[in-house]
Amino acid sequence: MSGSKKPRAVANPLESTITTPSEKILKECHTLYVDSENGLGKIAESLGLRLLPPRKKIIVMIMGNHSAGKSSFINWYVEEHIQKTGVAIETQGFTFITSGRKQESLTGNATLHLYPHFRPLLEFKGVTDYLSAEISTSKQKKFSLVTFVDTPGLVDGDMVYPFDVNSAITSFGEQADLIFVFFDPMGQALCKRTLNIVENLSEKCGDKLRFYLSKADEAGRETDRQRVMMQIVQELCRRPGLNKCGFEMPTIYIPNPQKPSRCINQIDEVCETIEKSINQAVQKTLNQLEKDCDLITSTITQTLEQDRMNVSRNKSNRFNSFLYGILGIFLPLLFILSFIISTFAPEDLDPLLGEGLAKALNISTGIVLYLWEWIPEDWQILFVFFFGGLCYFLLFLAKYFARQGCKTLTKREKKKLLERIDHIQEVRSKKHKLYEEYLRQCAAEYDF
């Protein structure tokens, strides 16, 4: 797993790219989120929700001490010499290695734009300057569905990193789908920094960790390999966070026809682990699509229900405002008008107002005057102030209820929400078809 930087050779030309069913499903799911017109991300944003589009590839982070064979493994898997390899600390930052349309190298900001899920890394000062991405046209193995993250080589002692490497690797691991830990039998396999990070990752995402004894063909005889493995396992078991359950440590190395080795090479199991994770990613993506559809549908339903409640509340507020406003104006007018009408004789009002209206006014005036006379003279001035205050309070209530109107949806907005519910149903149907398409590649035809 060693060597120097070689010119990059294209593993396979762009024209020969083949889309696998899993790749097709992940891409279609991603499109359902990012579509410019009816993407779930855009719909969610309009509803005050935030949905990140699912990744089209799984993230495999590889960590270990320096010269543990991390970059060599990536080059072998991709079948293209992308990463530098050697005994020196070749990888000093984080490098994304992914498949794309053409060969390209990206810097920090462009890399984060390509991988928005890793934006929390901006919290770590200096990481962006040591972040890059290498895009390859290779489609070897399952590389079209994998993005590798090559991490800095870890060493103990006086080595100073330009950023908090422990926290940064932990943050990467939390976002990754798989974490491969390579232990080099010829190097610092028991590097304390490596073990500290592994222990921290085990507490947060232990199900993602996979341990490998890399460069196993360079460890000497079988007894030497077993001794090294026992030392590593014992050291891992000493850590409280790593001795919770048993774990495997397959021996792997880069096969070299010119240097045949009797050592058992389980590197194909690494490929199987990646493929299994891809299949799980497809299932997780489809399940997450269903959950996001449920979230959007429930949010739209709640929005429409809230709008119906607001419409009903507005009607009640308008009625109360109208009622208190009428009372606040009508009562003082009736009070003043009663005293004015009392100065006229009943026979004088009939020609002016008509017999029916004059009779009604006389009755209401009689009631007001009766109540007025019933109040003692000493209390009449106080009553006038009280009555004026009551009328002012009624007008205040009318103004208060008039201001209590809630914002409601327009007919156009309601129609748009209902159309989005219909669109979500179409997405559900598409998700069902994608699930069937995924299952058909692994289940028998008669199971459907």
Side-chain angles (χ1 to χ4, degrees), residues 383-395:
F383 174 78
V384 170
F385 283 105
F386 173 78
F387 183 72
L390 175 63
C391 294
Y392 177 80
F393 180 68
L394 290 172
L395 292 174

Side-chain angles (χ1 to χ4, degrees), residues 41 155 223 329 331 336 432:
V155 294
T223 54
I329 295 174
L331 289 179
I336 297 171
H432 182 71

Side-chain angles (χ1 to χ4, degrees), residues 74-286:
I74 294 172
N75 292 340
W76 171 81
Y77 191 92
V78 178
E79 296 187 19
E80 182 178 335
H81 219 93
I82 298 177
Q83 291 292 84
K84 290 182 179 180
T85 60
V87 295
I89 305 177
E90 300 290 358
T91 307
Q92 296 182 344
F94 295 93
T95 305
F96 289 81
I97 299 93
T98 189
S99 175
R101 296 181 179 179
K102 70 171 186 175
Q103 290 184 356
E104 190 65 70
S105 297
L106 304 179
T107 56
N109 290 328
T111 302
L112 287 178
H113 186 76
L114 185 63
Y115 297 98
H117 294 79
F118 288 89
R119 286 200 171 273
L121 288 171
L122 292 172
E123 299 175 4
F124 302 104
K125 185 178 179 181
V127 171
T128 309
D129 297 331
Y130 290 86
L131 195 63
S132 62
E134 295 292 336
I135 301 176
S136 166
T137 59
S138 172
K139 296 289 181 180
Q140 300 302 316
K141 303 178 182 66
K142 295 290 183 179
F143 184 54
S144 59
L145 293 169
V146 181
T147 294
F148 288 106
V149 178
D150 197 1
T151 59
L154 300 174
V155 294
D156 291 328
D158 298 330
M159 176 66 182
V160 178
Y161 293 87
F163 49 85
D164 187 351
V165 67
N166 291 35
S167 299
I169 291 179
T170 302
S171 179
F172 265 98
E174 291 174 354
Q175 296 293 332
D177 297 282
L178 283 174
I179 304 171
F180 290 168
V181 184
F182 283 8
F183 292 103
D184 175 15
M186 305 303 294
Q188 296 183 6
L190 301 180
C191 170
K192 290 184 179 180
R193 187 187 294 272
T194 302
L195 297 176
N196 290 338
I197 296 174
V198 169
E199 185 176 11
N200 193 20
L201 285 170
S202 178
E203 296 175 358
K204 298 182 177 180
C205 45
D207 57 321
K208 302 177 184 179
L209 285 169
R210 303 291 185 274
F211 301 101
Y212 298 100
L213 183 68
S214 59
K215 294 185 177 181
D217 58 330
E218 299 180 10
R221 294 174 299 178
E222 181 64 26
T223 54
D224 296 328
R225 282 190 291 273
Q226 293 298 327
R227 179 177 52 80
V228 171
M229 289 182 65
M230 287 298 297
Q231 290 176 352
I232 296 173
V233 170
Q234 288 175 2
E235 185 62 32
L236 289 172
C237 289
R238 288 196 185 102
R239 302 284 177 134
L242 296 174
N243 60 2
K244 298 176 183 178
C245 59
F247 52 84
E248 297 180 352
M249 187 180 296
T251 56
I252 64 172
Y253 58 91
I254 303 302
N256 187 350
Q258 298 178 355
K259 290 183 178 181
S261 175
R262 294 182 179 181
C263 175
I264 297 175
N265 192 359
Q266 297 172 280
I267 198 167
D268 289 336
E269 292 185 11
V270 185
C271 300
E272 292 173 4
T273 300
I274 292 174
E275 185 172 355
K276 183 179 179 181
S277 182
I278 291 170
N279 293 332
Q280 291 176 346
V282 173
Q283 297 174 43
K284 289 179 182 178
T285 299
L286 291 171

